[in-house]
Amino acid sequence: MKRRRGRFTRRLGHRSWPGYLWHLGRSPYFRYRNARYLHALRVAVAMGASIGLTTGLGVPYGFWASITLLVVIGGLQHHGNIRKKAFERGVATAIGAALGLLLIAQHSVLGMTSLTYALTSILAGICAYYAVGKAGYIALLTGITLVIVGGHGDNALDIGLWRAANVGIGTLVALVFSFAFPLYATYDWRFRLAENLRESARLYTRLMIGAPMGAKEQVSVFAQLSRRLVALRSLIAPVSKELSVPAGRLEEIQRLHRSILSGLELLATAAAQREDSPQWGATREVLTARRSVMRRMLLASARALRSGDTRRLHALARREVGRTPGPDPDAHLAYEMQGSYWLAQRLSEQSRQLALELATIELK
């Protein structure tokens, strides 16, 4: 108990408990590590607010606001995605509600049930056609809102209006609560990329000092690196919106990241054969300086991503250019050594280019 109390005291430092909790709430790394818990808490509080608002104001059919809330924010953690989804939901609500009300109006005037069913089916087909394209979410929700508001055309006009209003209320509540402890996609992107770069630096150093990996270990290590790589790919669009950075720049960082992992995997595959060559000792000496540059660049990039300060990366990358030796024409390497030598050159260049790309981005 004393040991646990001492650990908590060290964490608190000179802060009070409220100050410590406020510090944790503002910490990007804390939000990244506890994203699921924060998201669950936010949705729970937002649901309570939606229920309290619609019940307190006596809004009929208030459960549609809660349904809309879950549609907009329930499966999305990141602030950028939620804003996009809320906007799309708002557009779809306006279009779907207008079509639903028109459906009710024509049914009340003409009273032709068969025509109403035919129009509903045609509109649903049009929404399905566009749901496969770029604006698929808007088209899908337009069709859903159409049915929610208009039913099969036999809904009362006031019911349709209240349901449309509830969808708008749910969207607004979801958008408001997306600003409460916002979980930016940038946090996931920063810390996942930093983890991969640190692991890449460790692997590169291990491979260059002549410590090969077993087949099972290699599969396990690179499978984990690949999972993070794939996860980063899906974050490019929201990160681009949150940082106001062109998606093409993030794509270039993703490409360099992927190339570094591919090069490391090739080095790991060739490690066993390389160790059997009598030329490896001389080759390792040639690669020592390049190994140090590669490791420094990867670790510096990882630290910059963790801290959110990338300003020093540009100067570091420029300074490391003079420390990286070029090809040695007098180094007569055996055939099986030339691949490792060439890969080491490419990897050092790619790690430096990655640092330069990161230096152009102002993180938050």
Side-chain angles (χ1 to χ4, degrees):
M1 180 64 70
K2 290 182 178 180
R3 182 180 300 176
R4 183 178 299 176
R5 188 176 301 161
R7 184 175 61 196
F8 287 160
T9 303
R10 286 195 299 273
R11 287 183 178 180
L12 282 172
H14 299 292
R15 301 186 186 96
S16 62
W17 271 109
Y20 179 65
L21 293 176
W22 176 250
H23 168 72
L24 283 182
R26 295 175 60 194
S27 168
Y29 190 64
F30 175 81
R31 295 189 198 180
Y32 164 71
R33 291 293 301 270
N34 299 277
R36 287 191 175 185
Y37 299 107
L38 291 174
H39 178 61
L41 177 62
R42 181 174 58 186
V43 172
V45 175
M47 178 61 74
S50 174
I51 294 172
L53 181 63
T54 54
T55 303
L57 295 177
V59 178
Y61 312 104
F63 62 90
W64 284 112
S66 300
I67 292 173
T68 301
L69 170 75
L70 291 176
V71 169
V72 173
I73 200 177
L76 297 174
Q77 292 182 344
H78 303 133
H79 186 64
N81 279 338
I82 292 172
R83 284 188 301 173
K84 178 174 180 289
K85 197 71 71 176
F87 171 77
E88 292 177 345
R89 180 64 168 166
V91 171
T93 297
I95 299 173
L99 292 175
L101 293 174
L102 287 175
L103 203 64
I104 294 173
Q106 71 82 28
H107 183 77
S108 62
V109 172
L110 301 178
M112 299 176 61
T113 304
S114 57
L115 177 61
T116 301
Y117 291 169
L119 288 175
T120 304
S121 301
I122 291 171
L123 290 173
I126 293 173
C127 291
Y129 175 82
Y130 286 103
V132 182
K134 186 176 181 180
Y137 187 72
I138 294 178
L140 177 62
L141 288 181
T142 297
I144 294 174
T145 307
L146 164 68
V147 178
I148 290 174
V149 174
H152 290 164
D154 52 355
N155 278 351
L157 186 61
D158 61 333
I159 293 177
L161 288 171
W162 278 118
R163 287 185 176 179
N166 276 305
V167 171
I169 292 172
T171 302
L172 180 61
V173 171
L175 189 59
V176 168
F177 276 88
S178 72
F179 289 91
F181 286 106
L183 303 173
Y184 295 106
T186 305
Y187 297 162
D188 268 9
W189 183 78
R190 280 172 50 187
F191 295 120
R192 288 176 189 265
L193 181 56
E195 288 175 11
N196 262 16
L197 294 182
R198 283 197 304 273
E199 182 66 15
S200 297
R202 186 189 69 81
L203 280 175
Y204 186 73
T205 302
R206 175 180 174 179
L207 294 171
M208 287 295 101
I209 64 175
M213 305 172 64
K216 290 184 178 179
E217 182 185 6
Q218 181 178 338
V219 169
S220 175
V221 168
F222 282 98
Q224 185 176 18
L225 291 171
S226 297
R227 280 195 295 270
R228 291 198 196 107
L229 177 68
V230 173
L232 289 172
R233 180 68 187 83
S234 65
L235 294 172
I236 288 178
V239 169
S240 175
K241 290 182 176 63
E242 291 174 3
L243 297 181
S244 299
V245 172
R249 184 170 297 168
L250 300 177
E251 291 281 5
E252 176 62 13
I253 292 173
Q254 183 78 355
R255 185 191 68 80
L256 291 166
H257 178 202
R258 183 173 59 249
S259 297
I260 289 172
L261 295 186
S262 299
L264 287 173
E265 192 163 12
L266 288 173
L267 283 177
T269 302
Q273 299 175 356
R274 190 178 60 195
E275 286 298 307
D276 296 335
S277 172
Q279 293 284 336
W280 171 236
T283 305
R284 184 165 55 188
E285 293 179 5
V286 172
L287 296 177
T288 298
R290 186 167 288 108
R291 183 187 74 221
S292 300
V293 171
M294 170 85 171
R295 183 175 182 275
R296 283 196 297 269
M297 292 308 309
L298 290 176
L299 291 179
S301 298
R303 284 194 295 269
L305 287 166
R306 283 288 300 268
S307 66
D309 185 2
T310 60
R311 292 172 296 179
R312 299 179 182 179
L313 284 179
H314 191 275
L316 176 63
R318 295 298 185 189
R319 187 167 62 248
E320 294 293 354
V321 173
R323 299 181 181 180
T324 307
D328 185 359
D330 298 326
H332 300 290
L333 301 178
Y335 175 77
E336 63 271 19
M337 295 295 101
Q338 294 174 10
S340 297
Y341 188 64
W342 181 87
L343 276 173
Q345 286 182 267
R346 301 287 80 76
L347 285 170
S348 62
E349 293 169 4
Q350 289 165 349
S351 64
R352 189 168 59 248
Q353 187 60 37
L354 178 63
L356 288 173
E357 291 291 339
L358 290 173
T360 63
I361 298 177
E362 185 177 351
L363 299 174
K364 66 177 181 178

